[in-house]
Amino acid sequence: MVSRREFLRLTVLAGGALIASRCGAFPRLFLDQTGPTLKADLLPKFTDPLVIPPAMPPVSTDGEFDYFEIAVRQFQQQILPAGQPKTTVWGYGAVNAPETFNYPSFTIEATAGRPTRVKWINDLVDAQGNFLPHLLPVDPSLHWANPEGPETDIRPTFKSTPKPYRGPVPMVTHVHGAHAHEESDGYAEAWFLPAAKNLGKYIPRGKWYETFKNKFKQHHGVDWEPGSATYQYPNDQRAATLWYHDHALGATRLNVYAGPAGFYLLRGGEGDLQDGSLPGPAPALGDAPDTRYYEIPLAIQDRSFNEDGSLFYPSTREFFDGYNQQFVPGTDVPPIWNPEFFGTTMLV
């Protein structure tokens, strides 16, 4: 069985061979195409313990809601099997517990009928407080956040082929499947940049950020600080396995691929098993390292890697279908973005 990409390659090359036999020239397709340098089939499998995400520690659980302060940061982690290089990734973690920054991110434990309030912080800055560029190639010719301006949340126009965007990364967190008012939903155009020292020309927030900031302050009396947004989730729904992740316009695929995502488990209320049917326990704060769990949430993701441990993601449209023409204004074929992508390595 051949992969879809290999099928396309063989199909194009077969067509090219026919052309070559008629005109004496071979088409220049796939000659510049690059892929991940780490061969997934050579990696040892099932050698490391399964990752069981612990609970995210809250700032407080008294009063009318559980309160968290959660940031997204860049760090290195052993993603590949032991003996392979570490991987630079992004992940969420509790600001008051630096050891919790992890990929996958720790689990937010929520209770049905009791609100959860989270201050989400974009902390993608270096040790000097300057912004970090994206780990992956960002195509600025799409309809996307566009912090470079002069207008955000549009599809910019270019007179020639643009280079990948290397500015500060827009982020906004969405809890997938959660009931939420619009100001707390992680709206794609309500993204925000980190409160970096060197933002300079970059526009720090999306078109809807100020609207939802004002609405949240009106409803809850809380202002949003630069580089952050505070949301509240009423948890007025059935027990559910939800998850939280970035939702920035035109960059979600890249931001989530870089790592920031985690479970949001809503317990109690309708649909929950309250009769002791589950043997338990679920992962919780303060568990001993040798705790034996019977509730284990699993997330399955595909990724590709390079030999130095870095994440691989295609930097040209040519990776998908061999299209390597220069960008033409008004065309529907962006130079970097790929219509679909499948990683070579399955992570659980």
Side-chain angles (χ1 to χ4, degrees):
M1 180 180 293
V2 298
S3 67
R4 179 186 183 286
R5 196 170 148 230
E6 181 68 7
F7 174 78
L8 285 174
R9 187 183 74 83
L10 294 174
T11 302
V12 172
L13 289 180
L18 179 60
I19 296 172
S21 67
R22 293 180 176 176
C23 64
F26 200 85
R28 189 174 180 273
L29 291 177
F30 297 96
L31 298 182
D32 297 327
Q33 183 167 278
T34 59
T37 57
L38 182 65
K39 304 305 179 184
D41 56 351
L42 300 180
L43 289 174
K45 298 173 178 62
F46 312 112
T47 60
D48 298 323
L50 180 69
V51 175
I52 303 175
M56 185 75 76
V59 174
S60 64
T61 57
D62 54 359
E64 300 177 356
F65 50 79
D66 297 334
Y67 178 58
F68 296 80
E69 291 185 352
I70 300 174
V72 58
R73 294 176 181 168
Q74 179 172 300
F75 48 88
Q76 284 198 319
Q77 185 175 319
Q78 190 69 54
I79 307 297
L80 295 168
Q84 296 288 335
K86 290 186 177 182
T87 302
T88 300
V89 291
W90 298 343
Y92 293 103
V95 175
N96 60 344
E99 70 278 6
T100 63
F101 284 85
N102 194 70
Y103 164 70
S105 300
F106 284 20
T107 299
I108 297 177
E109 291 278 347
T111 303
R114 179 176 172 81
T116 299
R117 179 177 292 183
V118 184
K119 180 181 180 181
W120 299 105
I121 303 167
N122 184 345
D123 203 19
L124 292 175
V125 297
D126 62 18
Q128 288 70 46
N130 297 318
F131 70 77
L132 291 167
H134 213 293
L135 298 175
L136 308 170
V138 179
D139 193 332
S141 71
L142 301 176
H143 180 182
W144 83 296
N146 195 41
E148 289 185 294
E151 183 180 356
T152 65
D153 307 302
I154 62 168
R155 184 178 186 187
T157 57
F158 295 92
K159 295 182 179 179
S160 60
T161 305
K163 295 181 179 179
Y165 170 79
R166 297 294 294 166
V169 179
M171 300 283 293
V172 59
T173 305
H174 171 72
V175 178
H176 192 100
H179 291 186
H181 295 287
E182 59 179 355
E183 66 267 25
S184 296
D185 192 44
Y187 200 62
E189 286 92 340
W191 53 267
F192 48 94
L193 300 181
K197 295 179 180 178
N198 60 335
L199 284 186
K201 66 177 182 178
Y202 295 102
I203 301 173
R205 60 191 69 88
K207 287 181 178 179
W208 281 90
Y209 181 92
E210 288 294 333
T211 298
F212 294 148
K213 172 185 175 180
N214 294 334
K215 184 168 287 189
F216 193 90
K217 185 175 182 179
Q218 177 185 356
H219 290 170
H220 302 286
V222 175
D223 206 355
W224 294 358
E225 298 176 359
S228 72
T230 302
Y231 296 163
Q232 185 155 315
Y233 309 98
N235 297 326
D236 58 350
Q237 60 192 99
R238 294 171 60 92
T241 299
L242 312 176
W243 67 296
Y244 62 98
H245 61 86
D246 174 72
H247 206 223
L249 180 67
T252 301
R253 72 197 182 285
L254 302 173
N255 291 355
V256 174
Y257 190 91
F263 287 106
Y264 184 107
L265 301 183
L266 180 56
R267 303 183 184 278
E270 183 182 0
D272 202 358
L273 293 175
Q274 302 179 22
D275 59 358
S277 299
L278 290 178
L285 293 173
D287 285 345
D290 59 348
T291 300
R292 185 175 184 181
Y293 297 114
Y294 294 89
E295 178 186 308
I296 302 175
L298 300 177
I300 301 174
Q301 300 176 327
D302 64 319
R303 297 290 187 271
S304 290
F305 298 88
N306 294 308
E307 289 182 344
D308 63 359
S310 63
L311 289 168
F312 168 83
Y313 200 83
S315 59
T316 170
R317 169 64 183 252
E318 186 181 5
F319 179 87
F320 174 72
D321 58 7
Y323 186 94
N324 64 353
Q325 297 181 23
Q326 292 295 296
F327 178 77
V328 179
T331 183
D332 288 330
V333 184
I336 297 175
W337 173 80
N338 281 247
E340 61 185 28
F341 169 76
F342 300 100
T344 58
T345 307
M346 184 172 68
L347 307 181
V348 182

